[in-house]
Amino acid sequence: RSTLFPYTTLFRSTNLELMVSTFCPYCVYVKSYLKTRPDLKVEIVNIDKDKNAREKLIEKGGMLQVPCLFSDDKALYESKDIVAYLKTL
């Protein structure tokens, strides 16, 4: 189920933060797309290496799921939805 539609009007920030984990294939998918878009400024944070980031993911996003793209403290999950959103920027 796509979660992209409600977010397309909410996300218009240039302050983007992508939460990932070390062995997540879905995270690799999103990071691979980001390599094709050097114009996008996205801070990538590995929750396996940063306990504060893990806590932020749960607190602000509501669940421990990666990848998760934060924009102004709004969370977007699902790798395909994240890439689809990034393509609109």
Side-chain angles (χ1 to χ4, degrees):
R1 179 173 165 238
S2 175
T3 57
L4 180 63
F5 177 74
Y7 291 99
T8 55
T9 56
L10 295 176
F11 283 109
R12 287 296 169 217
S13 172
T14 56
N15 182 22
L16 301 171
E17 181 178 39
L18 179 67
M19 301 284 190
V20 299
S21 68
T22 305
F23 300 106
C24 167
Y26 304 104
C27 299
V28 171
Y29 171 73
V30 176
K31 290 191 303 184
S32 294
Y33 174 74
L34 285 172
K35 287 180 183 176
T36 70
R37 293 289 308 271
D39 58 308
L40 292 178
K41 303 299 180 226
V42 179
E43 180 183 359
I44 298 174
V45 180
N46 188 321
I47 65 166
D48 295 330
K49 298 177 181 177
D50 183 342
K51 286 192 180 244
N52 291 331
R54 179 183 289 262
E55 291 172 13
K56 176 185 176 181
L57 176 61
I58 295 168
E59 181 181 313
K60 303 245 185 220
M63 60 182 150
L64 183 61
Q65 177 181 325
V66 290
C68 177
L69 181 69
F70 281 105
S71 175
D72 295 331
D73 293 327
K74 294 177 188 79
L76 178 62
Y77 295 93
E78 303 299 328
S79 58
K80 289 182 180 180
D81 290 342
I82 292 169
V83 169
Y85 167 70
L86 293 172
K87 286 180 178 181
T88 69
L89 300 179

